Structure formats: C-alpha cells, structure tokens
Amino acid sequence: MDKYQAVIDFLIQCPVIAENPLFFNFLDAKDNNKQIITQSNETSLNKKFIDGSVMKRFTFTIVDFRSVIYQPIPKVEGYTNENVEEIIDVQSIMDWVNAQADIENYPDFGNDCKIDSMRTTSENPNLNGVDTQITPALAKYSMSIQIDYIDTSKAIWK
Amino acid sequence: MAATTTIKQINLNPGQRAERKLLVTVAEWQEPTLDGSTTGIETVRELLGTRTEDSSIEYNPDIQESTDILGNNYTDVNKTQPSQAFDPFLILGGSRLGAFLNDIRRRNALSELQQFTIYVITAFVGSEEDGYETEKHTDCSITYDSIGGDANVNFPITVHFSNKITTGSVDKIAANFEFTPDTTI
C-alpha cells in the first residue's frame, strides 16, 4: 500500500478535513483549505532489529489556512474571539488524530508494515504567519504528525 | 576428534558480510491448545528477538591456563555455559512465549522454565534446497530477568543452553520448519 495514499485515505475520515478542500503538496492559500506536505525522514534514525525488521518513521505536515480578523479582544471574561474559535477548530484536527491513535485506528500501510505509534509532534498547532495583504487576512497554521511503523518486508521469519 | 564430514561453506559472496538476521534463535515448547480443550497439547515455536536490536550467544567458557617450564602456554576449555539475553523482550500482542512466561512468573512455577527446546539456525550456511544448518538444544531454560520499563512493558529474558545438541538442518525459516538431524556415516 502506498503510504501517501494511505495517509490521504486516513485523513479524509476527519470531519474537519472531510468538509473542506484538501490538497497534497500544492499550495492554495484560501480560507479553510487544508494541505498535506510530505517531509523527508532520516534513514539513519531507522532501528534495525535482529530479525531483519526495521522501525521506520513517516512524517508529514498538515497546513490549515484560516481567515483572521482585526478584532481586539474585549476585556470581558468568557468573551469569544473569532480567531480563537478558528484555532480551536484547527486544534480539533490534532485531537482527532490523537484520538485515532488511542483506539489504534491507523492509516493502512499494507501487510508488510505494522504501525507502532502515531502522534502529533506538538500539543497545539503552530502559527506560521498571517498574510494581511489579502482579503480576508489569512493565518497559516501547521501541525506535524509522526507515524512509527515496523517494516517487516525483509524480516527473515515468515 | 575432528569432524569427519565436509564442512559446509558460508553461502555468501567472498567478502560479503552476513546480516544479523541470518543467525536465528527459535524457542519451542509445549502448552495447552488455545481452542479451550482441556486435553489438547500443542507444540509452539516462536522466533526470539522481535524488537531486539542487539543480542549475542555468550559462550562463557571455563578456561584453565597453564605454562610449562619452557614457557609454552596451554589453554584448556573445561566447559561452556552458553546463554543469550534478549533485552528488550517486549510484551507484545500475539506473543505466545510472552504469555507462557508471564503465566509461569505469576505462579512462580520456576521448574517450568526448564522445558524449552532451542534451535539456533545459521542461515548463512546452507540453502532452501539443502536446508539451513541448525543446532537443536534440548532441555534448555529461559529465565525472565525483570518486568517493567518506561513506555512499554519490557520483560527481558535469557536463554540458557543445555549443550544437549543435535546438529541438523531445517528446510525453511518459518514456524512450521522441519528439523532433520544429520546422519552419521
């Protein structure tokens, strides 16, 4: 199973992603657009086991564009700000990924790969920047996800 | 006495290193079948070393050295007590050896640790057609050294070889291999 397609098939189960346009390695900075960006993974970090299987890591980043507004926060306790609501919605993607890990619902990497763990690399989304030159202004959030899996394709024991 | 049969050669290209996976240690034991029957006993085999990055058979030779009046050294090997540690040996879903040893551990049934047959398959000698050279060690013990760890439950074990060896070969590197003892001519 192709791991990129497996990740796409997995992520489209996430409600926030399912309801919005999703791109793969293509930038289209519009409100609510999501993008999967692949990352390289150092093979030197692979762990080789004595049976020939190898622990490998697959990392990718999800970018989420959200409109932001110029709105000072009123000094009223509990008053919600639209920008805060947006990041909470972005956060829900991370929460969904971690919830799937808890119930061991992982992308299908095929018969020769057994996923060991899946986690977001941070607790909350990273704000990469805000573009105020366009209307509406767009905030670019990102979150990285690491999947550790055991590749048994070269294991000696069948 | 020297070996009387031709020594089989390593099945690699000249200078090629043998991958670690070509030295395989397999545990075999008997336990009740999983189908719930009260009388059924089955033989189970499990590869040792899943999720283990480094493990070696330590021979622990008992050596006696002496020097004669001419200055010549003599080394006698009285015995070897081979053992092989597997650390980590993680508690993994589907591992019947993990379940078997954990059952012994919770009952403290130490005498049951001495019932293993261990196969050491040297897959760098032989072939699928002719079989891979194997040593079968009967009446071996597997001891658990600790249980615990950090993120995952680690249950490191040590195999203690009996030196009751039958040499032979196996036809494949899989749980259903067939062991054929060497024939003496």
Side-chain angles (χ1 to χ4, degrees):
Chain A
M1 169 67 84
D2 171 55
K3 295 176 184 65
Y4 303 111
Q5 188 60 48
V7 163
I8 293 169
D9 292 346
F10 171 74
L11 287 176
I12 58 177
Q13 299 173 46
C14 173
V16 176
I17 291 176
E19 293 164 2
N20 295 288
L22 176 66
F23 296 87
F24 187 85
N25 283 352
F26 181 81
L27 185 66
D28 189 17
K30 287 181 182 171
D31 187 21
N32 277 318
N33 278 4
K34 323 284 186 239
Q35 180 192 18
I36 298 170
I37 300 176
T38 55
Q39 293 185 5
S40 63
N41 294 282
E42 283 288 327
T43 53
S44 62
L45 297 178
N46 290 353
K47 271 190 197 175
K48 293 181 179 177
F49 301 118
I50 62 173
D51 65 347
S53 58
V54 183
M55 173 86 85
K56 296 180 177 178
R57 175 165 289 175
F58 186 88
T59 310
F60 61 94
T61 298
I62 301 172
V63 172
D64 195 344
F65 294 98
R66 297 293 177 126
S67 62
V68 284
I69 57 171
Y70 175 75
Q71 183 185 54
I73 297 174
K75 309 298 188 299
V76 179
E77 193 174 326
Y79 185 89
T80 57
N81 177 283
E82 187 180 319
N83 295 351
V84 175
E85 290 173 358
E86 291 289 353
I87 195 172
I88 290 172
D89 204 38
V90 176
Q91 172 83 48
S92 72
I93 298 173
M94 301 177 77
D95 294 342
W96 181 85
V97 169
N98 290 322
Q100 301 313 301
D102 288 344
I103 59 172
E104 299 186 358
N105 177 31
Y106 298 127
D108 181 3
F109 279 9
N111 293 334
D112 284 336
C113 295
K114 178 170 174 41
I115 292 182
D116 184 65
S117 67
M118 177 177 69
R119 61 189 172 278
T120 54
T121 58
S122 60
E123 290 291 334
N124 45 334
N126 184 47
L127 175 63
N128 300 109
V130 177
D131 187 350
T132 57
Q133 302 299 310
I134 56 176
T135 305
L138 274 184
K140 179 183 178 185
Y141 295 102
S142 67
M143 64 209 83
S144 291
I145 297 165
Q146 279 180 351
I147 299 173
D148 288 339
Y149 64 98
I150 310 264
D151 182 349
T152 60
S153 59
K154 293 187 177 173
I156 194 162
W157 191 252
K158 299 296 180 190
Chain B
M1 186 175 70
T4 54
T5 55
T6 305
I7 295 173
K8 287 184 185 171
Q9 298 303 298
I10 292 169
N11 58 18
L12 303 170
N13 294 324
Q16 185 183 357
R17 294 172 294 174
E19 290 182 69
R20 175 61 183 84
K21 67 180 182 180
L22 298 178
L23 179 64
V24 182
T25 306
V26 179
E28 180 185 274
W29 70 99
Q30 291 192 318
E31 67 171 60
T33 54
L34 293 180
D35 62 5
S37 113
T38 53
T39 54
I41 296 288
E42 65 175 319
T43 300
V44 184
R45 287 176 182 157
E46 194 163 303
L47 170 75
L48 300 180
T50 303
R51 303 283 190 102
T52 304
E53 291 179 70
D54 188 353
S55 175
S56 300
I57 300 174
E58 307 287 346
Y59 283 92
N60 306 309
D62 177 15
I63 292 173
Q64 190 174 357
E65 293 177 314
S66 58
T67 307
D68 66 14
I69 57 172
L70 300 176
N72 299 315
N73 293 325
Y74 298 90
T75 303
D76 295 323
V77 182
N78 297 324
K79 62 178 179 179
T80 60
Q81 293 178 302
S83 65
Q84 186 175 12
F86 294 89
D87 186 4
F89 180 80
L90 297 177
I91 294 291
L92 294 171
S95 169
R96 292 187 67 176
L97 182 61
F100 188 69
L101 290 173
N102 184 54
D103 181 61
I104 292 174
R105 180 196 62 80
R106 69 189 187 90
R107 293 183 292 111
N108 199 29
L110 301 181
S111 64
E112 296 179 23
L113 295 170
Q114 303 162 8
Q115 57 180 298
F116 293 93
T117 296
I118 304 293
Y119 296 89
V120 177
I121 305 169
T122 47
F124 47 83
V125 181
S127 64
E128 205 165 277
E129 292 75 34
D130 302 329
Y132 299 103
E133 274 197 350
T134 301
E135 307 133 44
K136 179 182 181 183
H137 300 246
T138 52
D139 300 329
C140 298
S141 298
I142 297 180
T143 56
Y144 40 84
D145 305 319
S146 64
I147 188 167
D150 43 26
N152 305 111
V153 178
N154 186 17
F155 191 34
I157 61 170
T158 302
V159 173
H160 301 271
F161 293 89
S162 65
N163 276 346
K164 295 178 186 173
I165 301 170
T166 306
T167 60
S169 61
V170 296
D171 58 338
K172 65 182 88 154
I173 316 291
N176 60 345
F177 66 72
E178 189 174 332
F179 176 78
T180 306
D182 287 340
T183 52
T184 307
I185 300 172

